[in-house]
Amino acid sequence: MLHRLSLKAVGGHADTFINGGVATKKTRKTKKMKLETERVSEQTVRETLIIIAIGFLLGRAVILFELLPFVIPFLAVILHWKRTYTLITALALIVGSTSVSFLFAGHTVVAILLYLVAQGFASSITNDKKFIPVTVFFSVTVARFIGLAIMEGVTLYHALTAFIEGGLAMVVTLIFIQSIPLILEKRKKIALKHEEIVCLVILLASLMTGTVGWLIFQLSVEQVVARYIVLVFAFVGGAAIGSTVGVVTGLILSLANVANLFYMSLLAFSGLLGGLLKEGKKISVAVGMIIATFLMGMYGDNQVSMQLSVFESLIAISLFLLTPKTWTTHLSKYIPGTVEHSQEQQQYLRKIRDVTAGKVEQFSNLFLSLSKSFSLLEASGEKSNQEREVDLFLSRVTEQTCQTCMKKHNCWTRKFSETYGLMEQLMREVEKDGEVTSRQLLTDWHHHCIIDERVVDAMKKELNQHNASKHLKQQLIESRRLVADQLKGVSKVMEDFAKDIQREKKEHEKQESEIMDALQQAGIEVEGVDVYSLETGSVDIEITLVSNFYNEGEKIVAPLLSDILDETIIVKHVESETLTGNEARITFGSTKAFIVREGIAHAAKGGRLVSGDSYSTMELGAGKYAVAISDGMGNGTRAHIESQETIGLLKNILRSGIEETVAIKSINSILSLRSEEEMFSTLDLAMIDLQEGFVKFLKVGSIPSYIKRGSDVKAVEAGNLPIGIIREMDVDVVTEQLKAGDLLIMMSDGIYEAPVVAENKDMWMKRIIREVQTEDPQEIADILMERVIRDSNNEIHDDMTVIVARLDHHLPKWSSIPAYEKKA
């Protein structure tokens, strides 16, 4: 009984726990929905209050004493942007107009009704917002003309007035379409266009027009607000933005009250001075406003009271100084050309760069994991597959022979080990020689099995199928190995690419200052210097020069930089900065320490047109120079196609950034898998480092190469089989250090193994290379080819190719010029 009660109690606690968990989830979901509802309601209240305030001020905005061009444009934008606020907007506009006069209120009501009817009719035809300015023009023009006709009669002047107000309203509509969303919506993009800034200023000035006539202690409210806005934009955007805001604000305020025309000059001058002094922070901008106020007051022909103007400026300055820094910083992010905007853009680009690099790195890891999985699959299954193949082969033989034998039970039950061992030995003999050659093994098998000859014949027949199956499996293994190597190479390329993406411009302010000072002391007009890298061998500097930039860049700036950086610098790229071509941005970079000049001699067997040899010399992007010769099997078209395919694959793989050894292994796998026929080719590859002078030889089935330094000749060779003979190969790499003036001689076997009377081919080749007196690579190649053909009784017994490469120091066109300062 107690046991049952305890189980019930436990069950009750479990139910409580489960129900409590469900209740907790529901509570969290309810709280989340409640917070979301509160956020939406707060945003709605904020938007409603902003729309009411804007509508009230624009309803009061009267220009030229009788025109209301801001009412219907604001209503049109709200109707198009958020239809739910239409009624509130209309009421706010009517209340604003009523605060001026009942006559303006009546005009506003008539214009609103006309616009709603016109827009409803237009919407029934099309929803394109391009027709909004047209309906605004129609409703404003008709409403004004009706009002003037009723009050004063129909005249041409009244028609012209109505037409002008309609045109102004249409233009204001286009401005409000761009500016009102800037206030009421959160910006997804962080930059404002210059047109958007002007539209925003016009909207603010239009709102200030609604405050015309408001006085506090005889001080004009619209003037205080206008000067405050000019101070803020001058501080944030500089002289250009500040003066523009001053001109636009003063112009619109002067339309509302002609007496304010004087203030346009004051606001524009204040914005200009404040923007020029913005580097001194808020105090300097405020000083600019005070100076402009006094100057315009002293020389303004007493159009306004200087005392009132000074007080208005002081109040605006006080509000400006009390403005939180976070507000101005946030506004700066939207103004092009500001430091905050640049930082925001850089942060955005950095984020995009990091995301891109992360994706590339993920793909790199994916390819590396796939490569490892293919390699592990091959390694784990190799040993077990051999044992399984033997079992399958013997089982197929026994199915054809032992299944019908009366002594099957005796052989495979009582004498299993002996039977299996003998059959395995028979299989090895047949697989090796095609016949069983061991008499002792035949005798033992004859005494053991009563159908011995039948079993041996079955083995011979089954062996053909076994070899075909083994060949297919080997091709599958090689395909896996090829895929693994390729995936590993792609992974390495993508890893390097991700690192290049994440590489940032380092801070080199001190070096930039030193370079600029040195160039200016040399009499060169420099607009700017940007240093991206100062690493030896990979210097990257951009300099903006004026006037005769190309000659100065090549003849003066590059030699000066060479002396400052203790490294040879040359012009990499020139890009014009202006349409007139007076300024240019020149990229300077490191030149290579060495250059390669090559000479090539080539001949086909018997003087034919098609040769089985193919060759290529190419400069790779990472400061490397590749020289390659491939000799296809045999002669003629088939050998030419094979060697050309090898060279083509090599060029494409090396240019993609994959390592040399991986490239050669990949080519070997591709060529061995591509055809069932025996098509082999040799490959002789030399990779020269043009910065350090090292050369790496990757010789696959090729004959030796030679390095000549003065009168010394050194042979370079490696023991690798030709490409396509074996499916799994290890490439031996031989590295040598070259010096300026060294000659690298590479040749095909047609040159090295020419039928000359020489017992030691290597000594003979060294001797004729040593006897060559010229240092020109092309002359050396021609002399070697001519000497070999002459010593072969003037016959070309095989395809012949010889490439001679000479390594020399790179000598710049202009020597370095001593600078006044060296880098620290």
Side-chain angles (χ1 to χ4, degrees), residues 409-427:
H409 180 73
N410 181 58
C411 293
W412 289 104
T413 304
R414 296 181 180 179
K415 301 179 180 179
F416 174 81
S417 299
E418 184 180 354
T419 304
Y420 188 88
L422 288 171
M423 290 191 70
E424 186 176 4
Q425 293 180 37
L426 289 171
M427 185 194 75

Side-chain angles (χ1 to χ4, degrees), residues 7 73 88 100 243 249 277 305 321 368 464 570 578 583 649 659 680 772:
L7 286 177
I88 297 175
V100 179
S243 58
T249 306
L277 299 174
S305 172
L321 295 177
L368 185 60
N464 294 328
I570 61 173
T578 59
E583 294 184 6
L649 286 172
E659 190 181 8
F680 312 135
V772 176

